[in-house]
Structures are given as C-alpha cells and as structure tokens.
Amino acid sequence: MPCFLWCPHGGVASICCCFALCRRPPKLREISWLLFVFFSSDIEISRAQSPKAVDVLAKEIGLLTDEVEIYGQTKAKVRLSLLERLKDQPDGKYVLVAGITPTPLGEGKSTVTIGLVQALTAHLNINSFACLRQPSQGPTFGVKGGAAGGGYAQVIPMEEFNLHLTGDIHAITAANNLLAAAIDARILHENTQSDKALYNRLVPVVNGVRGFSAIQFARLRRLGISKTDPGTLTEEEINKFARLDIDPSTITWQRVVDTNDRFLRKITVGQANTEKGFVRQAQFDIAVASEIMAILALTTSLQDMKERLGKMVVANDKKGEPVTAEDLGVTGALAVLMKDAIKPTLMQTLEGTPVFVHAGPFANIAHGNSSVLADKIALKLVGEKGFVVTEAGFGADIGMEKFFNIKCRASGLVPSVVVLVATVRALKMHGGGPNVKVLMYLTISINFYLIAQNLQLVADGCCNLQKQIQITQLFGVPVVVALNVFKTDSPAEIDLVCKIAKRSGAFDAVPCDHWSAGGRGAVKLAQAVERAANQKNGFKYLYSLELPVVEKIRIIAQKVYGAQDIELSPTAQSQVDRYTRQGFGNLPICMAKTHLSLSHQPERKGVPTGFILPISDVRASIGAGFIYPLVGTMSTMPGLPTRPCFYDIDLDPITEQVKGLF
C-alpha cells in the first residue's frame, strides 16, 4: 500500500527540507513549523507536496492497467469491471464520519476523514481508502470555498479536486437540461399537432421502413399495448401512445446550473414568438440538487442507473398519473451522457493514500453522501482487514440518518463504526455562546466567547454532542468521538469534552490535530476506530419501509430531531396521498431541513424540545428512490454574497497556477 515518508520532527519531509527546519535548534524549529502551518493557505500546502503519478498509485492499490482511465497526471477514472474481478474478495470495514450540528464554518468532517485514512495507511500500515463527495462549483466560488479537507489533511492537487475534476457535474447538468428541454418541447408539439401528425413524426418511415425504437416498445408495454407493427395501432391506441398530456402546473423537473445564481430562482420560459404563447413559470436549481446526482450516488451498476433514470417522474398528466423520463423517450440519451460519470475518480491525500471522489448530492435536500459504487469498489480493494472511510453531510441528524436509512438500503452495506466530529467552538455556540457567522468569525466579540477558556459554556454545549451520540445509538453502531482540536482550545476544555462523550455512551473520544500534523495527529483516533470496529455491531434501520409515509416522517422527527410531533400543510398531505395512490408509499424518507439546528429553526441551538415540525410540501425522487418532505422553506439555488470567494481567485498567466482558491 502507499506510504509517505514523514519527518521525525513533525512535518512532511519534503517541506521540512525545503524550509531547512530540521537543521534548526528544536525550539526554533517548532516555531518555524508552526509559522509555516498557520500562515500557509491550503493550496500552498497542497503545492508543497508533489503527488505521485496516478498510474503508480493505481498499481500500488491493486488496479490493473485496463481498469484505469487516466485523466492527466494526478487523477483517473476506475472502471466498474473491477467489481466483477474482485467479487469473491471479502469487504473491509466500513466507517462513516458524521458530526454534531455544525456552525456555518463547518467542523472539519472532511479533514477528519482525510486525517484518519492518512493515519491508518501511512502510520499504522493498514490498507484504507477515503471516499468523498465532489464539491460543487457554487460554494467554491461563493462563500464557503473549497472542500478538499485542509491543512495537512487534504486531497491533492486541491485545485483539481475543486474545479471541474473529471467533468461529472457537467455531465449531470447536460443530462438534466436535456430532459428539461424534452418536457417543454413535447408539450409544444402535442399542443400544435393532431394525433395522426404527432404519431407520424414520433414513428417515422426511414428508408421505406416504419418501426418503433426500443424505448418506444417500453412505453407500449407500460400502456398494455402488445402490438409491434406501427401500422396496426387503433386510433385510440395512437392517442394513448402519442399524447403524454402533461399538466404544466405539475412539472417538478427544473433546469440546473453549477453556479450560485439567485436570479434564476424563478424565471419565465417560452417567451419567444416561436413558442406560440406557451409561457410558464419555472426555475433553476444548483446542479448538485438534480435528481440525476442523487441517482449517481445511489446506483449500483450501469444497468441500474439506466432503470433509475427511466423511472424519474417529471410531472403528472391531466388524469393525475405520473409522467416519466422513459415516457419522454430520453432514457438512453441520458445514460449516454452519464456513461463516464458513473466511474469513480481516483485521487490521493497529501501523504499519498488513495481517495475516491464521486458524486456530491446536496445534504439538506438530498441524502448528502458520496457514491455507493465508490464505497463498494474501495471495500474490495482494501481487503478484509482494511478500512473504507466515507463522510456524511452536515450533522448526524441529517447526513448520517440518510446514510443509514437510504444509502445503506441501496447498497446493502453494513457500517462498522461512526466517527462523530465535534469542535469546542461549536459546542460553545450550542452552550449559549454567540451564533458563528462566516464573516464575523474574526471579530473581537466572537473570539472572546469562542477562544477564551469557558468550561461552563463547553459543558452546556455538550448537550448537542450527547444528542448526536444518542441518534447514532438508535442504529446500533459503535461511535467514536473525534474532537477536532484548534490551537485556541485549552487542555481543560479538551479533557472535559472527551469525558462527557465517553460518559454519554461513546466507545471512545479522542482529540485530533491532523490539520497541523497530518496523519500523525490522528493516530490515536485511528487506533480507537480499529478497536471499535471489532465490537459487536447491532446495525438496524430506524423504520420499516412498509409504514405509511406520514408515520415514517413522524419517526424521524420525534426520534432523531426530538420534535413533539409533525404538522403537514394541506399541500403536503395532498402530495402524500397522491404518491401513495401512485404506488410510491414504500420508499424511504429524505428530509429536507436546515442543517444549523436539530429543529426547523436555524437559530435554535443545543437540543431544542417540544416543537412541532412543519412539513410544507412533500416531493418525490422516484428514480433515486426516496420521498423528500420539505421542512419549512428550502432553497435549491444558493445566492452569491456581497463579496464572493471569486474576488480572491486568479490565474497566473506565466505559471498557469491557480491563486486564492482557499
């Protein structure tokens, strides 16, 4: 397995040599190292280490030459044929990194994920793989910045990780918008043509022969028409086949773009004279909110992906029946656009350990986890004694709950351990300190509360940590708390959090300083995870799929969020009734809710109780395979702040290096 040479004095060897740290007196060497760590950006740290060639990495982890498609020098696609070759290989241990309810700054789940696999592989000589989501261009150029981890626990090259990668999100955008165009075009053509004219164009004579295409046969079967000769259909059958009769007011499929653009939240389409007055209101979503992204994350094979794409419900017809992508005849074209995106992308950490980057569904409106396929391939590659570490979006109440109830159902994989990430900063906020805001974090007033030692504030805030541990225990999986340590955290605060976590049922609680020390700073965490993985695992789902939709929503609200009850709006209840009637009632639930609180109110920190959870609407991603209730108002298109990250991003025209990405 890959290994990276570490300097005995606490830094990456190549960087230490570059800065001559190892030749200096011990105290000066320590000061110099700290100055480099704390005054270097993530991108500078990334560039200070030259990644190994990706073909070398692929060979190290056991990939064959014909199983790898090289994209430049540092990334490659891995073909799904690998699964067939390794089908008899036992799986490794499956580790999920989740977190407490975060601040808007995030608490470092990605950094912990990378630090943990660096510790396992490069320091404990245990095969391990990280599986991460691909970041959206929206946050990268918006307010959050990159998502490759940070400091000495990150994926490199971080600019390639954050910008385009191998084009998967662009493929999703293209497929999504092709389907959107097909919907509006079909409505226009049905509104302007007779049944006969429409049928003749849908099933034309080509070289003197008239025949149905393969996807048209699928529609005929769905309609109960067994005929194969286009000339034998009756007028009634022609009408049923040719007319989808889409009700424009029920269209749920939106166009997408991978940029934060608030002015696309509501638009009007069809204003050109050529569209003959067929105007309707629509909107754009961010590309990672597309159902196609959710499908990419949950699919298990190319055939499975095609079937899921065909099942996507885009609207209802005027009789209230669902209209699918397959009805529109576009399934094959969507699969063609997605044929390369389905392959996970291989990259590496700063210490040369392998990483799969694949899929990136939104965690608040979708399930917020990287792909099933990346996990399955990685579990085979690491072997029975190895570890695959993946990350769930936002807090355990959102990302972890969806990981277990949705992703594990799709994959059939059983998790071994949950790593629950916390920070003293966030715990102080939950204990009554000020809400952390991105642009206010460096102000004196915020620093006073979040940097100065305050054991009472930390103890009070641990209620959120205790609640998230309890949520994990609902699923019967051992939990290890990883306290992501900042240099401003006092030893007393760190010790207090670890003691409370262990008293609250955590298998172990470990402080980690992987951000400044890389894998070396997460060795104790890795050892705790290894021990926890050998514990008895009583994994179970939170609810049965056979329960009514409303009851499944209530179970999540009460057992996970701590709500007293739920309240459905008339619109939400109507949608539940419709989906149940259409046969979709046995799907898992994917709650769309704020990540900043256990409740539906972002300002309520700690562990809110006694609240009624409002369900404003209920929607369905049938191809992805879940029902998603909307808790309050949920935006699917972020907006740019007054000063977006792109002010600091530039390209050196001489060296072609990206500047200011993070």
Side-chain angles (χ1 to χ4, degrees):
M1 288 299 296
C3 184
F4 191 83
L5 178 63
W6 274 81
C7 170
H9 301 298
V12 182
S14 61
I15 298 175
C16 280
C17 293
C18 178
F19 283 82
L21 298 183
C22 294
R23 303 190 190 98
R24 300 177 183 179
K27 190 65 179 176
L28 182 58
R29 180 171 61 235
E30 180 181 351
I31 293 171
S32 300
W33 176 249
L34 289 174
L35 286 173
F36 178 77
V37 170
F38 287 103
F39 289 96
S40 297
S41 67
D42 288 343
I43 196 167
E44 289 170 330
I45 294 171
S46 171
R47 286 190 185 136
Q49 170 57 28
S50 298
K52 65 183 76 175
V54 71
D55 58 332
V56 173
L57 175 63
K59 186 176 180 180
E60 285 179 345
I61 63 176
L63 296 174
L64 303 180
T65 302
D66 62 357
E67 293 170 342
V68 179
E69 298 173 1
I70 305 296
Y71 281 67
Q73 297 181 330
T74 57
K75 53 189 183 293
K77 285 285 193 182
V78 176
R79 293 176 180 163
L80 306 189
S81 58
L82 174 67
L83 283 171
E84 177 62 25
R85 177 171 68 87
L86 298 180
K87 63 182 179 181
D88 296 325
Q89 167 102 315
D91 287 346
K93 304 289 187 181
Y94 198 28
V95 180
L96 176 68
V97 177
I100 65 171
T101 303
T103 70
L105 298 170
E107 308 319 305
K109 293 192 305 297
S110 299
T111 312
V112 168
T113 300
I114 299 303
L116 176 55
V117 295
Q118 288 182 162
L120 285 165
T121 302
H123 297 268
L124 298 180
N125 297 316
I126 300 171
N127 289 351
S128 72
F129 232 108
C131 291
L132 297 178
R133 289 180 292 168
Q134 179 184 351
S136 165
Q137 180 178 291
T140 298
F141 289 100
V143 67
K144 183 181 178 183
Y152 287 91
Q154 61 172 301
V155 180
I156 59 172
M158 69 90 72
E159 60 264 51
E160 293 190 26
F161 179 92
N162 284 298
L163 300 174
H164 304 298
L165 200 62
T166 49
D168 294 355
I169 293 180
H170 300 316
I172 290 165
T173 301
N176 184 102
N177 293 344
L178 174 62
L179 180 52
I183 295 167
D184 285 316
R186 186 59 175 262
I187 293 172
L188 171 69
H189 294 312
E190 288 190 22
N191 284 338
T192 55
Q193 297 180 49
S194 66
D195 287 356
K196 183 178 180 181
L198 193 61
Y199 184 65
N200 287 339
R201 287 180 171 87
L202 287 170
V203 193
V205 176
V206 179
N207 296 325
V209 179
R210 192 178 193 188
F212 294 114
S213 67
I215 201 164
Q216 288 177 328
F217 277 121
R219 174 159 172 77
L220 288 167
R221 286 193 296 271
R222 181 176 173 182
L223 293 171
I225 301 173
S226 58
K227 297 175 181 177
T228 58
D229 182 354
T232 61
L233 268 64
T234 66
E235 289 186 3
E236 182 182 358
E237 289 171 335
I238 287 173
N239 175 272
K240 287 173 64 178
F241 172 82
R243 294 203 175 273
L244 300 182
D245 275 334
I246 295 171
D247 180 352
S249 68
T250 67
I251 295 173
T252 55
W253 195 264
Q254 309 296 349
R255 290 163 173 82
V256 300
V257 63
D258 195 34
T259 303
N260 291 356
D261 193 341
R262 64 178 70 246
F263 281 86
L264 293 178
R265 289 171 177 168
K266 182 175 284 188
I267 61 171
T268 302
V269 297
Q271 292 194 30
N273 292 335
T274 51
E275 283 23 276
K276 303 180 182 180
F278 296 111
V279 177
R280 69 178 182 91
Q281 279 200 340
Q283 68 183 59
F284 270 78
D285 294 336
I286 191 84
V288 291
S290 170
E291 183 178 350
I292 297 177
M293 174 62 88
I295 287 173
L296 178 65
L298 292 171
T299 193
T300 55
S301 67
L302 193 55
Q303 181 60 36
D304 177 63
M305 184 178 73
K306 282 186 66 176
E307 291 173 3
R308 288 175 178 267
L309 291 171
K311 291 177 182 177
M312 293 187 301
V313 174
V314 300
N316 291 322
D317 64 21
K318 292 172 183 176
K319 295 178 181 177
E321 295 302 315
V323 177
T324 66
E326 187 170 83
D327 290 326
L328 285 157
V330 74
T331 307
L334 300 182
V336 167
L337 288 171
M338 293 293 294
K339 70 179 180 66
D340 292 319
I342 197 173
K343 305 165 190 171
T345 299
L346 176 65
M347 295 188 74
Q348 63 193 279
T349 71
L350 195 72
E351 297 179 41
T353 62
V355 177
F356 273 144
V357 186
H358 200 214
F362 256 24
N364 47 7
I365 60 172
H367 64 290
N369 292 277
S370 60
S371 79
V372 166
L373 280 169
D375 292 353
K376 281 180 171 286
I377 293 173
L379 284 164
K380 294 298 183 185
L381 287 171
V382 297
E384 190 172 9
K385 295 182 180 180
F387 285 80
V388 171
V389 184
T390 189
E391 174 195 346
F394 297 136
D397 56 301
I398 297 184
M400 184 194 72
E401 181 271 314
K402 295 174 182 178
F403 177 91
F404 289 150
N405 283 319
I406 299 175
K407 185 177 179 181
C408 287
R409 276 189 164 105
S411 68
L413 300 173
V414 176
S416 308
V417 185
V418 168
V419 174
L420 191 64
V421 179
T423 62
V424 169
R425 174 185 68 192
L427 293 173
K428 286 179 176 177
M429 179 190 71
H430 287 296
N435 289 344
V436 178
K437 297 181 180 178
V438 175
L439 298 180
M440 292 178 61
Y441 181 58
L442 295 179
T443 64
I444 294 174
S445 61
I446 294 289
N447 273 328
F448 176 77
Y449 284 99
L450 301 181
I451 294 179
Q453 177 174 296
N454 191 325
L455 296 178
Q456 188 59 54
L457 211 56
V458 173
D460 292 344
C462 278
C463 63
N464 188 273
L465 173 61
Q466 291 170 304
K467 173 63 175 175
Q468 302 286 13
I469 292 172
Q470 291 168 9
I471 293 170
T472 307
Q473 291 172 330
L474 290 173
F475 297 92
V477 182
V479 57
V480 174
V481 171
L483 184 62
N484 187 15
V485 174
F486 291 17
K487 288 297 179 182
T488 51
D489 300 342
S490 74
E493 290 171 331
I494 293 169
D495 186 57
L496 177 62
V497 174
C498 292
K499 284 181 178 177
I500 291 175
K502 284 186 271 193
R503 281 204 311 262
S504 302
F507 174 82
D508 203 350
V510 183
C512 311
D513 60 351
H514 46 277
W515 184 87
S516 58
R520 181 173 56 87
V523 167
K524 289 183 179 179
L525 173 63
Q527 291 168 334
V529 167
E530 187 180 14
R531 293 194 303 273
N534 292 320
Q535 298 298 300
K536 183 179 179 181
N537 190 325
F539 174 67
K540 57 187 176 183
Y541 298 119
L542 187 64
Y543 53 79
S544 166
L545 293 181
E546 304 308 313
L547 289 172
V549 171
V550 172
E551 187 57 30
K552 286 183 281 195
I553 297 172
R554 181 174 285 110
I555 288 172
I556 295 171
Q558 292 179 334
K559 291 189 176 181
V560 177
Y561 307 154
Q564 180 180 325
D565 204 353
I566 62 174
E567 183 177 62
L568 273 70
S569 71
T571 299
Q573 186 62 61
S574 174
Q575 288 290 77
V576 168
D577 295 341
R578 170 176 286 173
Y579 293 138
T580 302
R581 179 179 58 80
Q582 292 175 341
F584 305 137
N586 62 345
L587 294 175
I589 303 299
C590 185
M591 301 290 281
K593 143 185 130 56
T594 179
H595 60 287
L596 297 174
S597 172
L598 284 161
S599 75
H600 58 289
Q601 298 168 301
E603 67 277 6
R604 296 189 67 178
K605 306 303 180 183
V607 183
T609 57
F611 60 92
I612 304 297
L613 193 75
I615 309 299
S616 60
D617 198 359
V618 177
R619 300 175 187 171
S621 293
I622 304 304
F626 53 72
I627 302 288
Y628 65 102
L630 274 64
V631 180
T633 302
M634 187 62 58
S635 175
T636 53
M637 172 55 79
L640 291 173
T642 304
R643 192 186 190 282
C645 292
F646 62 63
Y647 272 80
D648 300 312
I649 297 173
D650 200 0
L651 181 70
D652 187 317
I654 306 300
T655 64
E656 297 186 12
Q657 283 195 335
V658 177
K659 299 179 180 179
L661 187 59
F662 195 66

